[in-house]
Amino acid sequence: MKRTVLICVALLCANTIFSQEIFKRTLKLMGSRFEITVVANDSTEANNYIDMAVGEITRIEKLISSWDPASQTSEINRNASIKPIKVDEELYNLIGRAIEISKLTEGAFDVSFASMDKIWKFDGSMTVMPSKEAIKESVAKVGYKNIILDPENFTVFLKLEGMKIGFGAIGKGYAADKAKKLLMEKGVSAGIINASGDMNTWGRQPDGEFWKVAITNPMDKNKAFALLPLKDNAVVTSGNYEKYVTFNGVRYTHIIDPRTGYPATGIISATVFAPKAEIADALATSIFVMGKDVGIDFVNQLPKIECIVIDEKGEIFTSKNIEIETLKK
Ligand code: ADP
Ligand code: MG
């Protein structure tokens, strides 16, 4: 009798372990399309976890959004050249890491690029090419060296009038990392946080396989060109096919070269693999600015980071430790 009961309990446990399923929700967060995937026992459990991830991403958006006048980031920007602003340790540290990435990329990535958003607008409102003078004047406000951090008081000060910081190139990656961390802490065995192509994964699918990600073909955004397995890894793609303006037949993308104030050219897609989506996000943007050769060289010197770059002719280049199985066209 006892044995039968034990066997039944064992079977029940086995059943719950093996009946895990994949649940997904797609929604708009941080002005972008997010897709949150979790492996769970049932939809109630899955919804509960997904709600937690949504809560976490919404919390981060409130902290880092430069569109929301109530965010601490907006307060820093409003007080450029006026006074240092005390912020949450989390935002302080994020800005600190952004500055470190600027140093690492020799300024290709610059969190203070944001004053350029008065000049280059990618929301369809731009009708003429900005003048050289306007670009020159605006780019003079860009420079991470003029962000002053005070580690004792957790204050941030932008030295120049009109200076502005923005997390367009790093915020979605950071949010994906934080949502993943939260769900892992809550005991979710596997999942994917996909922030419009900036994604972080953990665990395995219920059938034991690793998650696979499709990399968008920049020549035809409805098609994937490669399918890659991800093992507790993040992957981020920056493309020139989502936000751009066209003048005289030339496409100007939303990634700005902080040295010139003009949009970066030459690359149409940069995909970066890294342990964290935040660094992958920042580096994908940086590669656009650095260009194909310098960008790949740079990645080859970094441990645990790989990249795939597509130039404007559609040719694919990769860092040295990556193998891609290109999908048949
Ligand atoms: P996506 O928005 O498609 O995920 P990215 O991660 O490459 O693409 O981020 C591009 C955004 O980053 C731009 O829309 C802008 O907000 C910001 N940005 C543009 N140029 C730079 C730069 N040189 N350094 C830091 N951020 C930048
Ligand atoms: Mg980026």
Side-chain angles (χ1 to χ4, degrees), residues 27-202:
L27 72 167
K28 202 166 177 187
L29 292 164
M30 304 178 98
S32 310
R33 182 178 181 275
F34 270 68
E35 188 178 74
I36 300 167
T37 305
V38 294
V39 169
N41 291 315
D42 55 58
S43 64
T44 314
E45 189 186 77
N47 276 325
N48 187 18
Y49 288 137
I50 294 173
D51 287 345
M52 288 179 195
V54 172
E56 178 67 350
I57 296 160
T58 310
R59 185 189 68 75
I60 292 166
E61 183 178 7
K62 285 211 177 98
L63 195 63
I64 69 172
S65 165
S66 32
W67 306 115
D68 177 358
S71 75
Q72 292 186 353
T73 304
S74 295
E75 207 186 340
I76 296 172
N77 290 339
R78 264 195 308 273
N79 285 286
S81 85
I82 302 173
K83 62 171 195 260
I85 295 298
K86 189 170 170 60
V87 296
D88 288 1
E89 204 175 324
E90 180 177 4
L91 180 60
Y92 182 89
N93 290 337
L94 179 65
I95 296 171
R97 292 197 301 278
I99 294 173
E100 288 308 312
I101 298 172
S102 294
K103 288 182 189 157
L104 188 71
T105 61
E106 293 176 348
F109 175 89
D110 197 319
V111 73
S112 71
F113 84 94
S115 61
M116 298 305 299
D117 65 10
K118 292 189 203 83
I119 304 296
W120 295 101
K121 295 195 170 77
F122 300 97
D123 56 3
S125 64
M126 254 174 115
T127 49
V128 287
M129 178 98 175
S131 71
K132 272 190 191 147
E133 293 69 39
I135 291 173
K136 208 173 149 198
E137 205 180 294
S138 237
V139 80
K141 317 269 185 209
V142 179
Y144 66 93
K145 290 181 181 147
N146 288 320
I147 307 172
I148 312 298
L149 299 184
D150 175 351
E152 259 154 43
N153 300 306
F154 290 113
T155 61
V156 183
F157 179 49
L158 307 180
K159 262 180 29 191
L160 309 181
E161 195 188 334
M163 223 180 139
K164 207 173 156 188
I165 56 169
F167 297 96
I170 190 174
K172 287 195 298 271
Y174 176 62
D177 289 343
K178 289 287 283 184
K180 164 181 165 176
K181 185 167 177 275
L182 178 77
L183 294 189
M184 284 181 82
E185 281 164 9
K186 297 289 174 193
V188 181
S189 64
I192 308 174
I193 312 290
N194 181 352
S196 291
D198 293 13
M199 56 181 118
N200 205 339
T201 64
W202 72 102

Side-chain angles (χ1 to χ4, degrees), residues 168-170 198 236 238 280-285:
I170 190 174
D198 293 13
V236 170
S238 276
D281 198 358
L283 294 183
T285 307

